[in-house]
Structure formats: C-alpha cells, structure tokens
Amino acid sequence: MKHENAKYLRPQHLSGLELVRDICCGNLEGGSVGSTEVTLTPGKIKAGNHTADPQTAGSVGLLLQVSLPCALYADGPSELCLKGGTNADMAPQIDYTIKVFKPIVEKFGVHFNCDLRMRGYYPKGGGEVVAKVSPVSELSPVNMTERGTISKIYGRSFVAGVLPYKLAKDMATTATRVIRREIKDLYINIHTLQEKDMACGSGNGIIIIAESSTGCIFAGSALGKKGVYPDKVGFEAAEMLLRNIRHNGCVDEFLQDQLILFMALANGISRIRTGPVTLHTKTAIHVAEQLTQAKFTVTKADDENASNDTYIIECQGVGVTNPHF
C-alpha cells in the first residue's frame, strides 16, 4: 500500500500505521514524522496484544478504525491498547464509537468490546481504551433500509478538569430545547456530569443519541472550545442530530463511511439507506473498490418516505474469509 499526500505525516498518523504494521507483521517504509510518502507491505495477520500511543490527543476512535478490520482476520483474539484523545475534534468521540458504531457494525458479525479506562482531551491526550476483538470466519451482509420511527433520545453532557459543572448543564439545556422544537412527544434524557478521576486534562462536550423502532442509531455531538459559549455547543450537537434524522435514512453522515469497508468485505449484498452521501463516503467507496474488487452502487431512494436527499448504498461484497478458521 502506498500513500502520497501533500500533508506531512503526523504523530497520530504514524501511530496508526505502526499499529497496523504490527498487527499484520508488515514492513513500513517512510514511517517517520514529516514524511509525505509511506509504503506498507503487509504480512500475516497476528493475534495478541498491540499498543498504539501517539503521545498527543490523536483520536483513539481513529486508531480503532484502522486496526479493527485487520484484527478480525487474525488467528485468535486480539487486545488493542489505544491511547490518545478519547474526545477529540475532527474525529468520532469514543462515546460515538461505543454507542453508535459498535452496535451497528455487530450486525456484520463483528464482536469486540471497549474498556474505557481514561478519557483524554486536547492538547495532551492521555486517554486509554482497551478493545478486545474476536476473529471472524467471514462477515455477513446487512440490510438497513427501514428506518421506522424515532423511539428514544438520550445523551451525555460533560465537563472535565478545571471547567465548571454549569457548562454541562447549559449545553444539555440548550440541546434539549432545540430538539423539542421538532420532536415534542419524546422524553429527552441527557445526563450531565463532571469528570474527575476518569479524565486526563480539561474539556467539555456533548453527544446526543437517537434510536429508532427498527434499531437504527444516530448521533449529534460537539466539543467545547476556548471562547465558545456552551449554548452554541449544545445547539450544534442538537442541530447535527436533527439534520441526520430528517432525511429518513438508517445511518447518520458519520457512520456512512465507517461501514463501507465492512460492506466490501462481507459475503453477499449489503444495502444501507442514508442521507446525502459525503465526500468521506465517496472516497471510502473508491478505495474499497480498488483494494477488494467489491462493487458499489449509489442510487436515490424512490419510496414514499424518501426525501430529495435520501439514497441507497448497495455493495456486492467479496466475502473475504479468515484462513485460520
């Protein structure tokens, strides 16, 4: 695998590459901070204990994204010790990974658990998650085309370190008010909390999750920043959630691209109903087709519940099998 990019290699990128290299007993060339060209030649996928630590607030969730598909085809269980930022900007919060990504990817036959041992925030990181992954013989296709009705809305609004608890309350209050403008008949249960012993550094944020009657899960989230009022953070998360349930799809805009590789690897035809197809998803489809020879099609949904921006992503997976089973 060769990757050339105008952006130089950063510590979190290098940590992910080294993690994958270790799992697949591969050879990594150009693996140094500042490099713009990297070559990874994979070998045999190896079970066991693997650790990744960028020593920054590099996203733990992104480290899991690159390592989980490899660990699934190992010759035994794997334990991934992932360190860095658990709630980082421009990446899925660990709460999203556990509450949204995990239950949906399990529909493919994936089995893993996440032990959240310490939360870490920008800029130092310091978070730690241990994921235990069970190997599979092959992945099953999924059919997620019936959204149903939204049946539950809940969330988590938090502050950590030296930040005052009032920020968590203000974020939750604003988010609840915004959601109630559109969804009036459901109780919205957003827990507010102040993290102390289980957090490294200071930070604040919110994640709001909606579940449907057919098992679809959506989320909206936001992190606080210096100079940004908590009302704005809560508003951003609520609007993100509402945007992702208005199109009557079955996955949100952030889960789309995370499922593409599993669709490509599965044995059979997978179909997922979604809202507007993101650039991340289009890129993931292109890369997956190049690497696996899987075939994707994206078409507009034409049923009575579809809006102008509702789509069906379909994939004929290649049915990769684990040679150790």
Side-chain angles (χ1 to χ4, degrees):
M1 179 185 73
K2 190 172 182 179
H3 173 65
E4 297 182 30
N5 198 305
K7 295 182 179 179
Y8 60 86
L9 193 65
R10 299 178 180 178
Q12 56 266 41
H13 304 149
L14 177 58
S15 185
L17 284 168
E18 290 176 336
L19 176 60
V20 172
R21 176 201 63 192
D22 292 344
I23 293 174
C24 70
C25 300
N27 180 54
L28 179 63
E29 298 178 13
S32 59
V33 175
S35 174
T36 58
E37 183 175 307
V38 175
T39 301
L40 174 63
T41 305
K44 178 183 176 181
I45 299 176
K46 178 181 66 176
N49 299 335
H50 305 280
T51 299
D53 184 5
Q55 299 184 347
T56 67
S59 170
V60 167
L62 295 182
L63 288 173
L64 182 63
Q65 278 188 26
V66 301
S67 55
L68 176 61
C70 297
L72 292 174
Y73 294 93
D75 55 359
S78 299
E79 182 171 294
L80 311 175
C81 181
L82 310 175
K83 301 181 180 183
T86 58
N87 300 74
D89 201 15
M90 303 296 290
Q93 295 190 43
I94 191 61
D95 309 272
Y96 184 96
T97 298
I98 294 173
K99 298 293 187 180
V100 181
F101 170 76
K102 183 177 182 292
I104 299 303
V105 80
E106 285 178 345
K107 295 178 183 291
F108 289 91
V110 175
H111 294 289
F112 74 100
N113 61 46
C114 279
D115 179 11
L116 176 55
R117 298 184 176 178
M118 180 69 69
R119 290 181 181 269
Y121 300 102
Y122 179 84
K124 293 183 178 180
E128 181 177 342
V129 171
V130 175
K132 296 182 179 180
V133 184
S134 299
V136 299
S137 58
E138 65 178 12
L139 296 178
S140 302
V142 301
N143 186 14
M144 297 180 63
T145 55
E146 298 294 332
R147 209 281 293 278
T149 58
I150 300 300
S151 57
K152 186 188 298 185
I153 298 177
Y154 57 95
R156 180 180 188 275
S157 181
F158 67 89
V159 294
V162 300
L163 299 179
Y165 177 64
K166 185 178 184 298
L167 294 181
K169 297 288 287 184
D170 290 347
M171 289 186 295
T173 299
T174 299
T176 300
R177 184 172 63 247
V178 171
I179 294 171
R180 285 192 194 281
R181 293 174 187 169
E182 290 194 31
I183 303 175
K184 302 180 177 12
D185 56 348
L186 285 180
Y187 174 65
I188 302 169
N189 184 20
I190 302 178
H191 288 288
T192 57
L193 64 157
Q194 186 164 31
E195 300 170 344
K196 293 183 180 179
D197 297 338
M198 287 290 293
C200 179
S202 298
N204 68 293
I206 183 172
I207 179 168
I208 316 163
I209 297 167
E211 296 183 8
S212 82
S213 57
T214 60
C216 302
I217 310 175
F218 312 85
S221 65
L223 292 171
K225 297 179 182 178
K226 187 176 181 180
V228 178
Y229 288 109
D231 290 359
K232 185 175 181 181
V233 180
F235 177 86
E236 180 182 334
E239 277 296 319
M240 185 183 296
L241 176 68
L242 292 172
R243 180 175 75 240
N244 277 289
I245 61 180
R246 286 178 187 134
H247 54 62
N248 203 38
C250 295
V251 300
D252 63 37
E253 63 192 289
F254 306 104
L255 192 60
Q256 275 181 26
D257 62 287
Q258 295 184 59
L259 299 182
I260 294 301
L261 182 55
F262 299 96
M263 295 172 73
L265 297 174
N267 183 16
I269 298 175
S270 293
R271 301 180 77 242
I272 293 178
R273 182 186 180 97
T274 185
V277 179
T278 67
L279 181 58
H280 274 199
T281 298
K282 293 175 182 177
T283 303
I285 289 173
H286 175 74
V287 173
E289 287 184 331
Q290 296 298 310
L291 292 177
T292 68
Q293 305 303 310
K295 299 300 180 184
F296 284 84
T297 58
V298 179
T299 56
K300 275 202 169 187
D302 57 4
D303 58 277
E304 61 182 13
N305 294 320
S307 64
N308 289 331
D309 53 6
T310 308
Y311 293 83
I312 301 293
I313 301 175
E314 183 172 295
C315 173
Q316 174 65 62
V318 294
V320 173
T321 59
N322 189 331
H324 305 292
F325 277 73

Coordinates of all heavy atoms in Angstrom, one line a residue, residues 93-104 154 156 207 209-211 217-219:
Q93 N -16.1 10.9 18.8 CA -15.9 10.7 20.2 C -16.0 9.3 20.6 O -16.7 8.5 19.9 CB -16.9 11.6 21.0 CG -16.8 13.1 20.8 CD -17.7 13.8 21.8 OE1 -17.7 13.5 23.0 NE2 -18.4 14.9 21.3
I94 N -15.3 8.8 21.6 CA -15.3 7.4 22.0 C -16.7 7.0 22.3 O -17.1 5.8 22.1 CB -14.4 7.1 23.2 CG1 -14.2 5.6 23.4 CG2 -14.8 7.9 24.4 CD1 -13.6 4.9 22.2
D95 N -17.6 7.9 22.8 CA -19.0 7.6 23.1 C -19.7 7.3 21.8 O -20.6 6.4 21.8 CB -19.6 8.8 23.8 CG -18.8 9.4 24.9 OD1 -19.0 8.9 26.1 OD2 -17.9 10.2 24.7
Y96 N -19.4 7.9 20.7 CA -20.0 7.6 19.4 C -19.6 6.2 19.0 O -20.4 5.4 18.6 CB -19.6 8.6 18.4 CG -20.2 8.4 17.0 CD1 -21.4 9.1 16.7 CD2 -19.7 7.4 16.1 CE1 -22.0 8.9 15.4 CE2 -20.3 7.2 14.9 CZ -21.5 7.9 14.6 OH -22.1 7.7 13.4
T97 N -18.3 5.9 19.2 CA -17.8 4.6 18.8 C -18.5 3.4 19.5 O -18.9 2.4 19.0 CB -16.3 4.5 19.0 OG1 -15.6 5.5 18.2 CG2 -15.7 3.1 18.7
I98 N -18.7 3.7 20.8 CA -19.3 2.6 21.7 C -20.8 2.5 21.5 O -21.4 1.4 21.4 CB -18.9 2.9 23.2 CG1 -17.4 2.7 23.4 CG2 -19.7 1.9 24.1 CD1 -16.9 3.1 24.8
K99 N -21.5 3.7 21.4 CA -22.9 3.7 21.4 C -23.6 3.6 20.0 O -24.7 3.2 19.9 CB -23.4 5.0 22.1 CG -23.0 5.1 23.6 CD -23.7 4.0 24.4 CE -23.5 4.2 25.9 NZ -24.1 3.2 26.7
V100 N -22.8 4.1 19.0 CA -23.4 4.1 17.6 C -22.7 3.1 16.7 O -23.3 2.2 16.2 CB -23.4 5.5 17.0 CG1 -24.0 5.5 15.6 CG2 -24.1 6.5 17.9
F101 N -21.4 3.2 16.5 CA -20.7 2.4 15.6 C -20.7 0.9 16.1 O -21.0 0.0 15.2 CB -19.2 2.8 15.5 CG -18.3 1.9 14.8 CD1 -18.3 1.8 13.4 CD2 -17.4 1.1 15.5 CE1 -17.5 0.9 12.7 CE2 -16.6 0.2 14.8 CZ -16.6 0.1 13.4
K102 N -20.4 0.6 17.3 CA -20.3 -0.7 17.8 C -21.6 -1.6 17.6 O -21.5 -2.7 17.0 CB -19.9 -0.8 19.3 CG -19.7 -2.2 19.8 CD -19.2 -2.1 21.3 CE -19.0 -3.5 21.9 NZ -20.2 -4.3 22.0
P103 N -22.8 -1.1 18.0 CA -24.0 -2.0 17.8 C -24.3 -2.1 16.3 O -24.9 -3.2 16.0 CB -25.1 -1.2 18.6 CG -24.6 0.1 18.8 CD -23.1 0.1 18.8
I104 N -24.0 -1.2 15.5 CA -24.3 -1.3 14.1 C -23.3 -2.3 13.4 O -23.7 -3.1 12.6 CB -24.4 0.0 13.4 CG1 -25.4 0.9 14.0 CG2 -24.6 -0.1 11.9 CD1 -26.8 0.3 14.0
Y154 N -31.4 10.2 24.0 CA -30.7 10.4 25.3 C -29.2 10.9 25.0 O -28.8 11.0 23.8 CB -30.6 9.0 26.0 CG -30.0 7.9 25.2 CD1 -28.6 7.6 25.3 CD2 -30.8 7.2 24.3 CE1 -28.1 6.6 24.6 CE2 -30.2 6.1 23.5 CZ -28.9 5.8 23.7 OH -28.3 4.8 23.0
R156 N -25.2 12.6 26.7 CA -24.2 12.8 27.8 C -23.6 14.2 27.6 O -23.0 14.4 26.5 CB -23.2 11.7 27.7 CG -22.0 11.8 28.7 CD -21.1 10.6 28.5 NE -20.1 10.5 29.5 CZ -19.0 11.2 29.6 NH1 -18.7 12.0 28.6 NH2 -18.1 11.1 30.6
I207 N -22.8 14.7 23.5 CA -23.2 13.8 22.5 C -24.7 13.4 22.7 O -25.0 13.1 23.9 CB -22.3 12.5 22.4 CG1 -22.8 11.6 21.2 CG2 -22.2 11.8 23.7 CD1 -21.9 10.5 20.9
I209 N -27.9 11.0 21.3 CA -28.2 9.8 20.5 C -29.7 9.5 20.3 O -30.4 9.7 21.3 CB -27.5 8.5 21.2 CG1 -26.0 8.7 21.2 CG2 -27.8 7.3 20.4 CD1 -25.3 7.8 22.1
A210 N -30.1 9.2 19.1 CA -31.5 8.8 18.9 C -31.5 7.4 18.3 O -30.7 7.0 17.5 CB -32.1 9.8 17.8
E211 N -32.5 6.6 18.8 CA -32.7 5.3 18.4 C -34.0 5.2 17.7 O -35.0 5.8 18.1 CB -32.5 4.3 19.5 CG -31.2 4.2 20.2 CD -31.1 3.2 21.3 OE1 -32.0 2.4 21.4 OE2 -30.1 3.2 22.0
I217 N -29.5 3.8 14.7 CA -28.9 4.7 15.7 C -28.3 5.9 15.1 O -27.5 5.8 14.1 CB -27.9 4.0 16.6 CG1 -28.5 2.7 17.1 CG2 -27.5 4.9 17.8 CD1 -27.5 1.8 17.9
F218 N -28.5 7.1 15.6 CA -28.0 8.3 15.0 C -27.4 9.2 16.2 O -27.8 9.0 17.3 CB -29.1 9.2 14.4 CG -30.0 8.4 13.4 CD1 -31.0 7.7 13.9 CD2 -29.7 8.3 12.1 CE1 -31.8 7.0 13.0 CE2 -30.5 7.6 11.2 CZ -31.6 6.9 11.7
A219 N -26.5 10.1 15.9 CA -25.9 10.9 16.9 C -25.6 12.3 16.4 O -25.3 12.5 15.2 CB -24.7 10.3 17.5

